[in-house]
């Protein structure tokens, strides 16, 4: 059975491919190979710029044609790397051999000649230049730069813009509904009234805070040779400060921060911090999904109806809040994987074991589920129709909630046992009406000014700041 949207095992690459396809540029096998080639080529260029003695004659005008190897990298090119890997049985070594193969075919034009000539003047020179591809490195110097680089760019290009779109939509609603009074529910019971816009603003605030926290986490990389000590670099060229070179290469060429002390692999501590930050963001969106699901069930919102859409196979009237449910389910999947990644990756036997290698290939999975979820939440939010009449009706039917305000003013006035007095009035199964509240206020031994102040408190006006 050939792979297609219908035969894919994961819904990320099957049912939801239309929503997750942008992530293929960052987390697919093709993307990983392209990122590896990018790191290898930028490293070779950095060695030329140092320069190492054997590379000082390399033509710097060829840097851009070299970069075009990864800039114009295609799935067909990736297949060539996989064909080499079938022989080497080593994915990063296959990348090294592929780049060397491309250098052999890379051409430039000599001055005064229209005919292309090889990059190097002869095969011996070509061979000597090529051997500085992957010079002194271990595969993890490539993997532990490629993966955080792909994650950084996926966050900046896909995850964060979608999250910002969600925040912007919520912020628009917070502004539009800022003066809409609403009965609050604590423990599922009527509580001091609030405003709908403020309750939405809670989510804007929470998401903005956690997004700021996510952005502050450094994207770090391991780059230091076989066991992190630049052994090979130092023994070949002891005159160079390889730690300084590594710091500058990782920072200036890749936009990452180099981890100063590592084993053969990254420590993954900051990567785990990113996963934890994403998990907090996802958890906030789950909370949002559940609240709006509840608001719809309370008839505070109706939903826009799409012609031809079916809510239930049995009940024709149904318009289900499925977008929030889809989002919640996908965020739960994302958080389960993110929790595992954050717990597993920082742990390795001695200087390294291979468990991180297969686990790292799943970073795109929680990102995919989150992208599906954010789009579903946005879809649900954009289908909302505010039912202001229902919000007002709930307030008008729940006058007991003004008891807090009344007893607080009575405390201010030194009235004896105000809390207990209001408790006796309102903690009953009898319905509280504005008339009963008014009659109670009339019995109070306070000034007429204070009574007027108390009468002004209504469920719709008692919404605070």
């Amino acid at each position: 059975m050939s792979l297609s949207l219908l035969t894919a095992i994961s819904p990320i690459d099957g049912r939801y491919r239309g929503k997750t396809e942008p992530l293929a540029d960052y987390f697919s096998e093709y993307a990983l190979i392209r990122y590896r080639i990018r790191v290898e080529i930028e490293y070779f260029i950095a060695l030329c710029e140092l320069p190492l003695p054997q590379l000082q004659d390399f033509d710097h005008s060829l840097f851009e044609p070299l970069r075009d190897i990864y800039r114009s990298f295609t799935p067909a090119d990736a297949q060539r790397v996989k064909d080499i890997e079938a022989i080497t049985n080593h994915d990063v070594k296959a990348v090294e051999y592929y780049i060397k193969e491309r250098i052999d075919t890379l051409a430039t034009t000599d001055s005064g000649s229209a005919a292309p000539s090889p990059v190097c003047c002869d095969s011996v020179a070509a061979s000597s230049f090529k051997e500085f591809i992957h010079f002194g490195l271990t595969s993890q110097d490539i993997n532990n730069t490629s993966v955080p680089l792909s994650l950084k760019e996926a966050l900046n290009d896909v995850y964060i813009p979608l999250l910002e779109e969600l925040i912007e939509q919520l912020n628009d609603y917070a502004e539009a509904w800022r003066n809409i009074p609403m009965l609050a529910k604590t423990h599922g019971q009527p509580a001091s009234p609030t405003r709908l816009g403020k309750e939405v603003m809670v989510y804007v605030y929470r998401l903005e805070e956690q997004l700021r926290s996510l952005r502050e986490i450094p994207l770090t990389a391991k780059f230091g040779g076989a066991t992190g000590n630049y052994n090979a670099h130092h023994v070949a060229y002891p005159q160079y400060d390889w730690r300084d070179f590594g710091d500058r290469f990782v920072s200036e060429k890749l936009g990452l921060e180099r981890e100063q002390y590592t084993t053969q692999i990254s420590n993954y501590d900051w990567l785990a911090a990113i996963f934890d930050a994403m998990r907090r963001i996802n958890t906030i969106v789950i909370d949002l999904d559940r609240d709006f699901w509840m608001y719809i069930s309370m008839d505070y919102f109706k939903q826009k109806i799409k012609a031809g859409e079916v809510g239930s196979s049995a009940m024709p009237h149904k318009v289900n809040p499925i977008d929030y449910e889809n989002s919640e389910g996908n965020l739960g999947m994302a958080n389960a994987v993110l929790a595992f990644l954050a717990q597993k990756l920082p742990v390795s036997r001695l200087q390294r074991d291979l468990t991180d290698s297969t686990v790292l290939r799943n970073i795109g999975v929680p990102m995919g589920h989150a992208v599906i979820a954010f789009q579903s939440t946005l879809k649900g939010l954009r289908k909302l129709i505010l039912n202001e009449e229902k919000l007002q009706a709930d307030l008008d039917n729940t006058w007991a909630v003004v008891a807090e305000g009344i007893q607080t003013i009575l405390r201010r006035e030194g009235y004896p046992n105000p809390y207990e007095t209001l408790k006796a009035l309102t903690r009953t199964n009898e319905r509280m009406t504005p008339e009963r509240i008014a009659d109670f206020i009339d019995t109070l031994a306070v000034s007429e000014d204070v009574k007027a102040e108390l009468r002004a408190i209504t469920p719709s006006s008692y919404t605070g700041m």
Side-chain angles (χ1 to χ4, degrees):
M1 188 179 292
S2 60
L3 180 63
S4 71
L5 298 184
L6 293 175
T7 61
I9 295 173
S10 167
I12 293 174
D13 285 319
R15 180 180 180 86
Y16 301 120
R17 179 68 177 186
K19 293 183 176 182
T20 62
E21 190 166 6
L23 294 176
D25 280 338
Y26 308 93
F27 300 117
S28 63
E29 183 74 1
Y30 154 79
L32 178 57
I33 295 170
R34 190 187 71 239
Y35 275 105
R36 285 167 167 166
I37 291 172
R38 175 176 166 184
V39 173
E40 290 276 18
I41 287 175
E42 291 298 339
Y43 172 64
F44 176 78
I45 290 172
L47 292 177
C48 293
E49 291 173 334
L50 190 56
L52 288 184
Q54 288 78 4
L55 294 175
Q56 61 185 353
D57 294 329
F58 189 86
D59 185 356
H60 287 204
S61 69
L62 298 172
F63 289 170
E64 294 310 307
L66 277 172
R67 288 184 169 116
D68 285 339
I69 295 175
Y70 68 78
R71 287 170 178 164
S72 60
F73 195 67
T74 68
D77 296 326
Q79 184 57 56
R80 174 57 190 156
V81 178
K82 297 300 290 184
D83 292 342
I84 298 172
E85 183 185 340
I87 299 170
T88 63
N89 199 29
H90 195 287
D91 47 8
V92 176
K93 200 66 178 176
V95 165
E96 176 189 345
Y97 287 165
Y98 172 79
I99 296 172
K100 290 178 176 178
E101 185 177 274
R102 288 295 303 271
I103 287 179
D104 283 338
T105 61
L106 191 65
T108 188
T109 301
D110 289 332
S111 58
S113 171
S117 60
V119 169
C120 307
C121 55
D122 56 53
S123 60
V124 175
S127 176
S128 64
F129 281 127
K130 287 191 303 182
E131 288 311 310
F132 285 90
I133 299 294
H134 203 70
F135 175 79
L137 301 181
T138 185
S139 59
Q140 286 308 105
D141 294 313
I142 303 304
N143 289 331
N144 289 160
T145 46
S146 296
V147 170
L149 183 56
S150 68
L151 178 59
K152 175 184 177 179
E153 295 184 346
L155 285 169
N156 290 337
D157 298 345
V158 182
Y159 181 90
I160 290 176
L162 193 54
L163 179 58
E164 288 176 327
E165 185 180 353
L166 176 56
I167 292 171
E168 183 180 4
Q169 178 65 73
L170 291 168
N171 200 47
D172 288 346
Y173 279 154
E175 180 62 28
W177 300 332
R178 64 182 302 165
N179 294 320
I180 304 295
M182 180 179 76
L183 185 67
K185 295 288 182 72
T186 58
H187 307 278
Q189 305 302 307
S192 296
T194 183
R195 283 178 243 173
L196 178 57
K198 175 261 171 177
E199 296 309 312
V200 176
M201 196 63 196
V202 169
Y203 286 108
V204 174
Y205 170 73
R206 292 174 68 189
L207 290 171
E208 286 181 339
E209 287 290 290
Q210 293 308 315
L211 177 55
R212 177 184 55 78
S213 176
L214 173 63
R215 282 178 161 142
E216 290 174 353
I217 299 171
L219 270 295
T220 65
K222 179 267 177 181
F223 195 82
T227 54
N229 308 330
Y230 288 108
N231 301 42
H233 295 78
H234 183 68
V235 76
Y237 297 100
Q239 67 271 33
Y240 291 104
D241 185 343
W242 289 106
R243 284 174 296 187
D244 178 68
F245 169 85
D247 289 345
R248 287 185 289 107
F249 168 69
V250 171
S251 173
E252 296 170 10
K253 298 290 188 180
L254 306 180
L256 305 170
E257 294 183 24
R258 192 180 78 87
E259 297 169 19
Q260 296 298 305
Y261 295 93
T262 70
T263 59
Q264 188 179 78
I265 63 174
S266 167
N267 300 318
Y268 294 122
D269 299 325
W270 287 116
L271 202 61
I274 289 172
F275 297 147
D276 284 335
M278 291 174 65
R279 194 153 52 96
R280 288 194 300 274
I281 289 169
N282 292 348
T283 298
I284 293 169
V285 179
I286 289 174
D287 198 22
L288 181 154
D289 288 332
R290 291 180 180 178
D291 272 4
F292 275 95
W293 189 98
M294 289 292 294
Y295 290 145
I296 291 169
S297 74
M298 293 155 60
D299 205 28
Y300 285 1
F301 294 101
K302 297 185 182 297
Q303 299 178 90
K304 295 175 184 176
I305 298 172
K306 184 177 179 181
E309 196 169 71
V310 174
S312 166
S313 63
M315 294 171 281
H317 70 283
K318 297 269 286 200
V319 183
N320 296 327
I322 58 173
D323 301 303
Y324 304 101
E325 295 166 349
N326 177 282
S327 176
E328 181 181 342
N330 274 285
L331 290 170
M333 289 292 296
N335 281 1
V337 179
L338 287 169
F340 171 71
L341 291 171
Q343 293 166 10
K344 187 273 152 296
L345 285 172
V347 179
S348 180
R349 295 171 183 85
L350 302 180
Q351 280 65 56
R352 87 112 1 139
D353 64 46
L354 265 175
T355 53
D356 66 310
S357 180
T358 189
V359 168
L360 281 174
R361 292 178 179 273
N362 291 278
I363 287 178
V365 173
M367 186 79 78
H369 283 293
V371 164
I372 295 165
F374 291 170
Q375 291 180 72
S376 291
T377 298
L378 273 166
K379 183 179 178 183
L381 291 173
R382 288 165 178 166
K383 288 163 63 173
L384 293 176
I385 301 173
L386 178 62
N387 186 2
E388 197 169 347
E389 291 181 1
K390 175 60 177 175
L391 274 78
Q392 189 61 52
D394 275 4
L395 286 166
D396 293 342
N397 290 325
T398 320
W399 272 78
V401 295
V402 302
E404 180 195 36
I406 293 174
Q407 64 96 10
T408 303
I409 289 177
L410 292 179
R411 283 175 186 265
R412 183 194 71 193
E413 296 298 314
Y415 193 90
N417 304 315
Y419 176 87
E420 290 73 18
T421 301
L422 269 296
K423 177 183 174 184
L425 173 70
T426 58
R427 191 163 178 169
T428 171
N429 288 325
E430 296 181 30
R431 180 169 170 265
M432 222 18 65
T433 65
E435 291 77 19
R436 288 189 66 188
I437 295 292
D439 290 344
F440 167 77
I441 292 172
D442 287 340
T443 67
L444 295 173
V446 294
S447 70
E448 286 303 315
D449 287 343
V450 172
K451 287 182 179 181
E453 190 177 0
L454 296 176
R455 291 188 188 103
I457 302 173
T458 70
S460 294
S461 67
Y462 184 59
T463 57
M465 299 175 64

